[in-house]
């Protein structure tokens, strides 16, 4: 991975951590409006960063994988050990 892809992946990971933590809080405090706003805001940011990453370096999850005909594009891209995501 190059520096730019690593930086973007770190941003995705930070946002993912925040979203997962607030999700755990909301499991026990489902009516907490401020927590729900926090979750909604950071979940949207995470999705935007994941979409940005996918457009530049390939999908991180199947949600971002594009399909052409009968195959997913991620299967024809270079894997990380083949020099992909650089």
């Amino acid at each position: 991975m190059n520096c730019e892809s690593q930086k973007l992946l770190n941003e995705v990971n930070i946002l993912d951590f925040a979203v997962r933590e607030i999700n755990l809080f909301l499991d026990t405090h489902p009516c907490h409006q401020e927590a729900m706003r926090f979750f909604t805001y950071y979940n949207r940011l995470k999705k935007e960063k994941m979409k940005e990453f996918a457009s530049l370096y390939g999908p991180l999850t199947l949600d971002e994988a594009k399909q052409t005909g009968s195959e997913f594009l991620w299967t024809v891209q270079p894997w990380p050990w083949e020099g992909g995501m650089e």
Side-chain angles (χ1 to χ4, degrees), residues 38-55:
F38 183 95
F39 175 84
T40 301
Y41 176 76
Y42 284 99
N43 195 40
R44 181 180 52 79
L45 284 180
K46 181 185 113 173
K47 287 179 182 180
E48 289 172 5
K49 288 292 180 182
M50 289 181 75
K51 186 175 181 179
E52 180 182 350
F53 189 95
S55 71

Side-chain angles (χ1 to χ4, degrees), residues 10-66:
N10 285 342
E11 291 175 21
V12 169
N13 287 332
I14 289 167
L15 291 166
D16 184 61
F17 177 81
V19 168
R20 288 176 188 269
E21 287 296 307
I22 199 64
N23 185 59
L24 291 173
F25 179 82
L26 285 167
D27 284 346
T28 57
H29 301 80
C31 297
H32 197 285
Q33 293 302 309
E34 185 178 356
M36 184 55 76
R37 284 191 297 276
F38 183 95
F39 175 84
T40 301
Y41 176 76
Y42 284 99
N43 195 40
R44 181 180 52 79
L45 284 180
K46 181 185 113 173
K47 287 179 182 180
E48 289 172 5
K49 288 292 180 182
M50 289 181 75
K51 186 175 181 179
E52 180 182 350
F53 189 95
S55 71
L56 295 171
Y57 307 108
L60 293 169
T61 67
L62 286 176
D63 294 337
E64 289 89 38
K66 293 182 180 158

Side-chain angles (χ1 to χ4, degrees), residues 63-83:
D63 294 337
E64 289 89 38
K66 293 182 180 158
Q67 186 178 0
T68 60
S70 61
E71 71 179 355
F72 284 108
L73 291 180
W74 62 268
T75 61
V76 296
Q77 296 174 321
W79 294 92
W81 56 87
E82 299 174 323

